[in-house]
């Protein structure tokens, strides 16, 4: 319970950064932190007390494996996170070329 | 188990530094520290495949972000409705947090997962797929469509990045080179 709350605090910090900051790079940083928190929560929910990694071994019988399903999902999610981060950074650099700033309050040409 | 708490608190402190520091490069480096701490946490939680992937992805992500922040001037504006915005955000976060605390009570206790689906994978995974690593058998056999969707998203993102950063078809060509890996 406490450890779920710690991962949730990390999530809240990311959301705060997305909502409150004005620099585009800071917003990307917030998105990355949020993503880490969600991945961490999934892996935490898969853990089992005294568990072992879900890999069979030839010489020893392993009975208490951790849950392999969230591991597979998180593995997918991490790679997708990299792709979306690259896309965000590319868009941010394009905005910097056009407007000369990362501040979202200065980017006004589409406004109104 | 103590190490897990220490690492999580380290990650939270790193995230606060990354959010609040003024210099962009320091912020990106702090995010890198958070990501590497996360990779060690995965290792402690017995997820070696995820830890390796997180390590590689973290390094690539850091390279991309540093490339974006190098040699950029960053005016830091605090004009506008500072008090109002902070107040609204804080209220939202507090409400969100209270709702989440209520929800976390209904989750299974940490260390005792339900494993209803995973029991089938663990019991029959080796016989059905022939893979000793169950994560691989889930990714590439039981949930192969998931991986197909992931590959689709990955290549779509690569095409989008290439479309955004390409120089052909632009009016004024005076941009530095950009990254284009996945």
């Amino acid at each position: 319970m406490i450890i779920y709350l710690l991962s949730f605090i990390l999530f809240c910090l990311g959301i705060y950064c997305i909502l409150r900051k004005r620099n585009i790079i800071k917003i990307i940083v917030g998105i990355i932190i949020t993503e880490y928190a969600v991945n961490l929560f999934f892996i935490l929910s898969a853990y089992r007390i005294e568990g072992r990694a879900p890999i069979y071994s030839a010489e020893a019988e392993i009975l208490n494996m951790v849950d392999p399903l969230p591991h597979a999902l998180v593995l997918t999610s991490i790679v997708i996170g990299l792709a979306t981060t690259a896309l965000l950074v590319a868009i941010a650099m394009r905005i910097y070329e056009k407007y000369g700033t990362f501040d979202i309050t200065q980017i006004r040409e589409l406004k109104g | 188990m103590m190490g897990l708490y220490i690492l999580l608190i380290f990650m939270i402190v790193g995230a606060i530094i990354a959010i609040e520091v003024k210099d962009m490069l320091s912020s990106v480096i702090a995010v890198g520290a958070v990501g590497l701490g996360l990779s060690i946490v995965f290792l402690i939680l017995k997820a070696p495949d995820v830890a390796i992937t997180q390590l590689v992805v973290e390094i690539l992500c850091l390279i991309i972000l540093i490339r974006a922040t190098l040699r950029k001037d960053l005016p830091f504006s605090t004009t506008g409705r500072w008090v109002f915005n902070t107040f609204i955000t804080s209220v939202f976060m507090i409400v969100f947090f209270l709702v989440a605390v209520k929800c976390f009570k209904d989750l299974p206790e940490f260390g005792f997962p339900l494993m209803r689906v995973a029991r089938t994978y663990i019991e029959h995974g080796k016989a059905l797929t022939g893979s000793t690593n169950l994560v691989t058998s889930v990714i590439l056999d039981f949930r192969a469509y998931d991986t197909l969707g992931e590959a689709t998203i990955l290549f779509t993102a690569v095409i989008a990045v290439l479309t955004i950063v390409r120089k052909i078809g632009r009016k004024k060509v005076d941009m530095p080179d950009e990254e284009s890996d996945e």
Side-chain angles (χ1 to χ4, degrees), chain A residues 3 8 13 20 22-23 26 29 36 40 47-49 54 56 67 69 71 75 82 93-94 96 102-103, chain B residues 8 19 21 31 46 53 58 72-74 77 79 82 86 100 111 113 118 122 132 134 139 143 170 178:
Chain A
I3 204 148
F8 189 75
L13 285 173
R20 192 64 194 82
R22 291 191 174 154
N23 194 320
K26 277 283 168 94
V29 162
Y36 286 167
L40 175 63
Y47 185 67
R48 196 169 172 184
I49 294 288
Y56 282 109
D67 195 345
L69 183 58
H71 291 188
L75 211 57
L82 176 65
M93 294 193 66
R94 195 78 179 79
Y96 187 84
F102 277 132
D103 192 341
Chain B
L8 274 174
I19 290 168
V21 79
V31 170
K46 304 287 189 276
T53 316
E58 178 55 45
K72 298 283 197 294
D73 60 323
L74 296 152
S77 80
T79 56
W82 194 88
T86 310
I122 288 176
T132 51
L134 282 174
I139 284 182
R143 289 175 183 256
R170 285 246 198 107
E178 231 283 4

Side-chain angles (χ1 to χ4, degrees), chain A residues 43-81:
Chain A
I43 296 290
L44 280 176
S45 74
Y47 185 67
R48 196 169 172 184
I49 294 288
E50 303 291 325
R52 302 282 302 272
I55 300 170
Y56 282 109
S57 139
E59 59 264 17
E61 187 80 9
I62 296 171
L63 292 173
N64 47 352
M65 289 182 176
V66 298
D67 195 345
L69 183 58
H71 291 188
L73 297 181
V74 167
L75 211 57
T76 311
S77 144
I78 288 174
V79 178
I80 289 175

Side-chain angles (χ1 to χ4, degrees), chain B residues 4-180:
Chain B
L4 198 55
Y5 284 96
I6 294 170
L7 271 170
L8 274 174
I9 290 167
F10 166 76
M11 281 169 62
I12 289 173
V13 171
I16 291 172
I17 292 172
I19 290 168
E20 288 303 331
V21 79
K22 292 279 197 300
D23 183 25
M24 282 303 119
L25 194 58
S26 316
S27 167
V28 170
I29 298 296
V31 170
V34 175
L36 295 179
L38 184 64
S39 136
I40 298 172
V41 169
F42 286 161
L43 210 55
I44 290 176
L45 290 172
K46 304 287 189 276
D49 317 78
V50 187
I52 294 166
T53 316
Q54 171 69 31
L55 195 64
V56 173
V57 162
E58 178 55 45
I59 292 166
L60 279 177
C61 191
L62 212 59
I63 291 169
I64 293 171
L65 272 174
I66 288 175
R67 177 65 191 76
T69 52
L70 272 185
R71 286 182 286 113
K72 298 283 197 294
D73 60 323
L74 296 152
F76 194 80
S77 80
T78 49
T79 56
R81 297 175 294 178
W82 194 88
V83 178
F84 180 72
N85 286 350
T86 310
F87 176 71
I88 291 287
T89 313
S90 313
V91 168
F92 175 70
M93 299 317 307
I94 289 166
V95 170
F96 196 44
F97 193 81
L98 291 179
V99 171
V101 168
K102 215 170 167 47
C103 292
F104 280 149
K105 289 206 176 74
D106 291 338
L107 281 177
E109 195 67 25
F110 173 69
F112 301 94
L114 288 178
M115 302 186 74
R116 197 165 292 160
V117 181
R119 198 173 298 135
T120 315
Y121 293 159
I122 288 176
E123 278 167 9
H124 304 119
K126 199 178 172 189
L128 286 177
T129 63
S131 159
T132 51
N133 188 345
L134 282 174
V135 177
T136 318
S137 76
V138 171
I139 284 182
L140 293 178
D141 200 308
F142 290 116
R143 289 175 183 256
Y145 281 121
D146 202 1
T147 310
L148 182 66
E150 175 204 344
T152 313
I153 293 174
L154 201 62
F155 283 105
T156 313
V158 170
I159 290 169
V161 169
L162 288 178
T163 313
I164 288 168
V165 303
R166 71 172 185 166
K167 291 174 188 163
I168 306 163
R170 285 246 198 107
K171 280 175 186 159
K172 279 172 285 183
V173 193
D174 51 354
M175 62 166 293
D177 204 346
E178 231 283 4
E179 94 291 332
S180 61

